[in-house]
């Protein structure tokens, strides 16, 4: 398969991102992930609190560059996949950064997939539902089927 999927996720789910990335590669996809997610996977170190501390100490300009770099990956992709698990007691959590990424994907006309369905208590439930994302119920082969 000659399609590229970009994955977005809360840093809390980067260990899940690593598994999903490998599963998609096994299905023949090219996969983009946030640079930090890839670095954490390569180091086999998913210490979320340490990563948050590093991020907090970055300059505003560096943080902006990180965000824009993922937007560029979305632009080069055929679809955007959100890895969303339970967080803060919210099923299918999607935070503000991922919401921005979804917005970019929608604006660019990319299909948006959700690894897990969203809970109705998610702050942006109505807004995300309005863009009609495709929930794949933790089965990445559904993305392959979508492009078949």
């Amino acid at each position: 398969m000659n399609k590229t999927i970009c994955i977005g996720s809360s840093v809390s789910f980067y260990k899940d991102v690593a598994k999903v990335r490998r599963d998609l590669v096994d299905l023949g996809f090219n996969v983009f992930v946030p640079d930090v997610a890839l670095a954490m996977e390569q180091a086999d170190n998913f210490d979320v609190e340490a990563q948050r501390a590093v991020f907090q100490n970055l300059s505003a300009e560096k943080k902006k560059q990180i965000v824009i770099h993922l937007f560029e990956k979305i632009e080069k992709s055929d679809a955007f996949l959100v890895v969303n698990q339970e967080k803060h007691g919210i099923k299918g959590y999607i935070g503000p950064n991922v919401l921005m990424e979804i917005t970019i994907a929608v604006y660019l006309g990319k299909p948006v997939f959700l690894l897990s369905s969203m809970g109705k208590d998610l702050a942006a439930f109505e807004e995300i539902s309005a863009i009609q994302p495709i929930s794949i119920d933790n089965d990445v082969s559904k993305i392959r089927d979508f492009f078949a």
Side-chain angles (χ1 to χ4, degrees), residues 121-134:
D121 53 346
L122 182 66
F125 178 82
E126 293 299 326
E127 292 83 355
I128 296 170
S129 295
I131 61 106
Q132 301 174 332
I134 303 161

Side-chain angles (χ1 to χ4, degrees), residues 16-32:
D16 298 311
V17 167
K19 181 189 179 313
V20 170
R21 184 194 68 75
R22 289 188 302 270
D23 290 347
L24 287 168
V25 167
D26 288 348
L27 289 172
F29 287 101
N30 300 311
V31 182
F32 292 141

Side-chain angles (χ1 to χ4, degrees), residues 48-83:
V48 173
E49 293 309 316
Q51 188 52 50
R52 283 194 178 117
V54 169
F55 189 77
Q56 287 176 345
N57 290 322
L58 296 176
S59 69
E61 184 58 34
K62 181 61 179 167
K63 290 176 184 177
K64 179 181 173 183
Q65 289 171 2
I66 290 169
V67 169
I68 289 172
H69 189 232
L70 191 58
F71 290 173
E72 292 167 345
K73 289 179 178 184
I74 295 168
E75 183 177 31
K76 294 175 186 171
S77 298
D78 296 294
F80 185 65
L81 170 62
V82 178
V83 172

